Amino acid sequence: MTRIDEGWGRGPSARYEEIAARFRPIFREIAQAAIERDQQRRLPFEEVRWLRDAGFGGLRVPPDYGGLGVTLPELFGLLIELSSADPNITNIFRSQLGFTEDLLNAPKGAWRDEWLSRLGRGEMIGSGFSELSTTNIGDHSTTILREGNGYRLNGEKFYTTGSIYADWINLGAVDGSGSPIAALVPTRAQGVDILDDWDGFGQAMSGSGTARFKDVRLEPEHIKPDAARFPYTPAFFQLVHLASLAGIGRAAASELAQHVGARARIYPRGNGATSADDPQVLEVVGRVRGRAYSAGAIVLNVAEALQRSFETNISGVDPERTDIHLIADVETSQAVTVISTLILEATTILFDALGASAAKRATALDRHWRNARTITSHNPRIYHDRVVGDYAVSGKKPAAVGYRKIITPFGTSSEVA
C-alpha cells in the first residue's frame, strides 16, 4: 500500500514509490518492535544494520559512487516514513546525512571521491560537535594537534548522536592556534570511548551520549581539507527533526485509530454503541491525523527550498550574491513552531479518544509525546518565530548557526555573517 492510498498524500516525485518500496519492508520490521525497544531500552544495532545493508546511508550519494542519488524532497519523504516506524533511528542517521551534504557541496577531488565511495559502500558516520564544557554551542575545547607526521586528538563530546553505531565520528575541534579543524575519527581507534549515557526521557536509543578521546592518533587522511560546511546546514539539520516529528504524528494517528477500532468499552455519556461509532471520538482521531498530515506536507514543501539551495550552490553561484540559502533558512524557521505545536498537540489529545487503559505502559502511547517533546527541545522553537519576524519586518538575515564558513564549488571558502 502506498502513502497516497493511506491518505498521507503523493510522494515528492514520480519515482518516489519505486525508491520507497526498497525500504518499506524494513520500516515495517522496525515498527513491529518499536514498543519493545522503547520499554526495554534496547539499542537498535540490528535495525540500523538492516538499513545500512539496504543502502539507506547512501541515499544522497550519487550512483557512480554506489549510492541512490535521491533528491532532498525524496530523502525527507523517506525520513518521515522511517520516523513513523521509529524516530530514534532517524536521529541515528542524522549526522551521516549531514556529512553527505558536506561532500556533495564540496569541491571535487580525491578526498571527496574517497568519502563518497565509503558512504556508497555502507560505512556510517556519527556526530562529534557538541560539548557540555563550552558556553556557546558550536565552540570547541577539544583539540587536534600536530604530532610528527600525524595528529593527536584529545577532548570530550556530548550529544554524539549515532556514534555508538558508526564506523567514524565527524568531529569538530580546534588546532594549536585555536582555528577550527575537523576530522573523521575511527570509532574503534585506541583512545576512543563511546558511552551509552544519554538519559533523556525520549529518543533514548539514539546514542546521543558521551564520547571521550584520549591521545587518539589520527593520520593526515583523517583530517578534512576544510572545516567548512554547506550553506543550508542549519536548515537541513532542523528539517531532519521536523521530518521526525511528522513521522511521530503519523505513527500516533495510526495507533490511535487501531486502539479506537478495537475498543469495546464505552463511556455512559458516549454517542455510539462502540467507540468506533462515536462521532466525538472520531473527531479526535481526525484531529490527530490532520495534524500529522499537515506536518508532513510542510516538511516536503520546505525540502523543496533546500533542494533549490543545493542546486544553486553546486551550479557555481557565489553564495554571497544570492539569498536562496537565506530563504531556505527562513522557510525552515517558519515551519518549526507550527510543526512542533501540531505534533505536541496530536500526541497529547490522542488520549481524549481512549480510556485510562491507554495510559498503561503496555500501549506505550506516551512514547510519541516523549519523543516529540525531546526533539522539539533540541533547537528551541521560541527563537525561530523571532528570527522569522525580524526578517519579515526588517529583512534581517538569520544569524549563522552550526557552521562558520560555507563551501563553494570553486575550492574556496567564505565567512558567513
Side-chain angles (χ1 to χ4, degrees):
M1 183 177 289
T2 65
R3 300 301 98 169
I4 194 168
D5 293 333
E6 297 178 357
W8 295 121
R10 188 179 63 184
S13 68
R15 65 174 186 168
Y16 180 77
E17 289 298 321
E18 179 183 352
I19 297 169
R22 176 174 182 158
F23 299 103
R24 283 177 180 157
I26 302 174
F27 295 163
R28 286 192 290 270
E29 287 290 324
I30 289 172
Q32 286 178 4
I35 291 176
E36 175 244 328
R37 283 193 300 275
D38 181 75
Q39 293 174 335
Q40 297 182 11
R41 203 183 181 282
R42 177 176 67 80
L43 299 184
F45 286 102
E46 184 176 22
E47 290 81 357
V48 169
R49 180 178 56 79
W50 296 342
L51 289 169
R52 289 178 64 169
D53 291 347
F56 195 84
L59 285 172
R60 289 272 290 152
V61 174
D64 288 349
Y65 297 93
L68 297 180
V70 306
T71 65
L72 284 166
E74 290 166 345
L75 169 67
F76 283 100
L78 291 168
L79 293 183
I80 293 172
E81 294 197 34
L82 173 58
S83 301
S84 180
D86 190 338
N88 286 275
I89 298 178
T90 303
N91 210 25
I92 288 168
F93 278 93
R94 185 168 175 254
S95 185
Q96 168 102 5
L97 299 172
F99 179 63
T100 304
E101 295 303 310
D102 280 340
L103 295 174
L104 294 177
N105 285 272
K108 294 182 179 180
W111 197 88
R112 176 182 184 271
D113 291 343
E114 171 66 18
W115 282 99
L116 283 174
S117 296
R118 286 178 178 272
L119 298 185
R121 293 196 298 268
E123 295 189 27
M124 190 166 173
I125 312 294
S127 178
F129 285 91
S130 298
E131 298 182 8
L132 295 181
S133 60
T134 55
T135 302
N136 296 317
I137 294 175
D139 289 346
H140 304 297
S141 62
T142 299
T143 60
I144 297 177
L145 306 178
R146 276 196 174 274
E147 185 179 90
N149 60 353
Y151 297 82
R152 191 67 66 182
L153 164 65
N154 281 283
E156 183 173 302
K157 298 289 186 176
F158 196 64
Y159 300 121
T160 56
T161 305
S163 292
I164 200 169
Y165 306 93
D167 304 298
W168 304 86
I169 300 175
N170 186 18
L171 181 141
V174 291
D175 62 16
S177 66
S179 298
I181 186 172
L184 276 299
V185 180
T187 56
R188 295 171 181 81
Q190 184 175 354
V192 176
D193 188 18
I194 303 173
L195 308 179
D196 178 29
D197 61 347
W198 165 244
D199 63 351
F201 58 66
Q203 296 295 98
M205 286 79 70
S206 59
S208 298
T210 302
R212 295 175 180 148
F213 309 95
K214 184 176 180 180
D215 293 328
V216 179
R217 170 75 179 183
L218 297 178
E219 303 302 328
E221 59 266 26
H222 294 150
I223 305 300
K224 296 174 73 173
D226 196 321
R229 306 216 70 177
F230 52 101
Y232 49 96
T233 292
F236 179 87
F237 284 109
Q238 187 63 55
L239 195 58
V240 174
H241 284 327
L242 298 184
S244 296
L245 289 171
I248 289 170
R250 286 190 186 182
S254 298
E255 290 179 28
L256 173 59
Q258 292 168 8
H259 282 287
V260 168
R263 183 171 168 77
R265 298 183 67 195
I266 58 172
Y267 283 106
R269 294 180 179 177
N271 300 293
T274 66
S275 289
D277 297 322
D278 190 322
Q280 286 187 278
V281 171
L282 294 176
E283 180 185 10
V284 176
V285 176
R287 287 166 63 194
V288 172
R289 189 177 175 89
R291 281 158 172 75
Y293 174 84
S294 299
I298 295 170
V299 167
L300 294 182
N301 193 66
V302 177
E304 295 284 356
L306 267 64
Q307 181 70 23
R308 291 190 289 272
S309 179
F310 165 70
E311 291 174 354
T312 298
N313 197 50
I314 64 171
S315 70
V317 175
D318 184 348
E320 297 294 330
R321 297 182 178 276
T322 178
D323 284 336
I324 197 74
H325 312 306
L326 161 68
I327 296 303
D329 207 6
V330 169
E331 287 198 41
T332 305
S333 287
Q334 287 173 170
V336 169
T337 296
V338 176
I339 291 177
S340 298
T341 301
L342 286 171
I343 302 307
L344 288 174
E345 287 180 351
T347 54
T348 298
I349 65 174
L350 66 84
F351 291 94
D352 294 335
L354 301 167
S357 59
K360 295 174 67 175
R361 292 188 182 277
T363 67
L365 288 171
D366 64 302
R367 79 186 191 281
H368 298 308
W369 182 88
R370 288 188 285 106
N371 285 327
R373 181 64 269 182
T374 302
I375 290 170
T376 56
S377 300
H378 280 306
N379 193 356
R381 51 184 168 155
I382 60 173
Y383 301 120
H384 287 275
D385 286 339
R386 187 204 73 235
V387 166
V388 171
D390 209 1
Y391 170 75
V393 172
S394 64
K396 184 177 179 180
K397 295 182 179 182
V401 177
Y403 63 107
R404 290 185 172 85
K405 295 181 285 184
I406 51 181
I407 295 172
T408 75
F410 310 112
T412 60
S413 300
S414 57
E415 295 295 328
V416 174

